[in-house]
Amino acid sequence: MISTWSTIGTVGTLGITAPPVSGGRWHRSVQVIYGPPAAGAFGTGPDPVAGITVATRSGVRTVLVHSGQPDGPTAPAGPTGPTTHPPLLGTDDHFAVDADTCAEGPWLACADVLVHSRPRQRSGAWLRLNRVLARHAGCRLVALPLLDGSCAVADRDGTRCLLRLAEGTGTAGPERWSQAASCLHGLLSTGHTLDGLRHVSFLTGP
């Protein structure tokens, strides 16, 4: 399955983004909502980030509202953000870990989302993702940026998808792919699947 990425708002060419200095691990909070996000829905938590939204054909979408370095294995849940408009279907709080830069076994073992920050060739990508899922039984979703600018994503249920940028929208770096993988985890955590993806967009915060 191929999904199209687009850029909205004041963001121009995204450029290659280096992984943040965070030890390769994050606590993330993702809203699962129905319909377009309300104004001001982005950057509402501590350490706000530019909003990223994943939309599906059914109208359900996810919005990344918080991405910060966890203080420990039992980091507190992040903010839930607005709950009235648009309708909030749920909030997904999880751990995401960079499989290339984090060498601490306990963090890798408790990760819900494992991402690679070093882009690789498409050849062998699916085999690598399968091995990561087999090695880390607690991981639900794994993502691997590719050298051609796309990103391979695998769900533990066997679903595989290849995400691509739309023409003329620049290049998403490893950090953006990692944040988008967290948005996809929000979909999965509320009973939705990758098969319903329509598009993934970067939006700017307030």
Side-chain angles (χ1 to χ4, degrees):
M1 183 183 69
I2 295 178
S3 180
T4 301
W5 289 67
S6 60
T7 304
I8 301 175
T10 59
V11 176
T13 301
L14 294 173
I16 294 294
T17 306
V21 181
S22 64
R25 54 183 185 265
W26 307 268
H27 166 242
R28 288 183 172 150
S29 183
V30 177
Q31 288 181 353
V32 184
I33 59 179
Y34 186 83
F42 304 106
T44 56
D47 305 318
V49 296
I52 295 179
T53 182
V54 174
T56 68
R57 296 184 186 91
S58 65
V60 173
R61 65 177 65 216
T62 65
V63 179
L64 178 66
V65 295
H66 172 76
S67 181
Q69 184 175 9
D71 295 325
T74 57
T80 58
T83 59
T84 56
H85 182 70
L88 180 66
L89 303 181
T91 300
D92 170 42
D93 291 285
H94 63 267
F95 289 120
V97 176
D98 185 335
D100 286 332
T101 64
C102 182
E104 301 169 70
W107 284 109
L108 293 169
C110 74
D112 304 292
V113 177
L114 280 169
V115 297
H116 291 274
S117 56
R118 301 188 185 106
R120 292 172 170 82
Q121 296 283 357
R122 185 183 302 184
S123 175
W126 301 118
L127 179 60
R128 176 178 291 273
L129 296 185
N130 289 338
R131 287 175 175 171
V132 170
L133 287 171
R135 187 179 305 120
H136 302 286
C139 176
R140 174 71 187 272
L141 190 78
V142 60
L144 174 64
L146 304 178
L147 290 174
D148 63 6
S150 61
C151 184
V153 178
D155 179 14
R156 182 163 293 281
D157 71 357
T159 303
R160 304 290 183 264
C161 65
L162 184 65
L163 305 177
R164 289 185 181 278
L165 284 167
E167 286 188 29
T169 58
T171 303
E175 183 178 0
R176 287 297 203 189
W177 290 124
S178 169
Q179 293 171 341
S182 286
C183 285
L184 295 179
H185 188 274
L187 272 183
L188 299 176
S189 70
T190 53
H192 302 282
T193 68
L194 299 183
D195 291 332
L197 283 179
R198 188 178 67 202
H199 64 79
V200 182
S201 304
F202 297 128
L203 291 86
T204 56

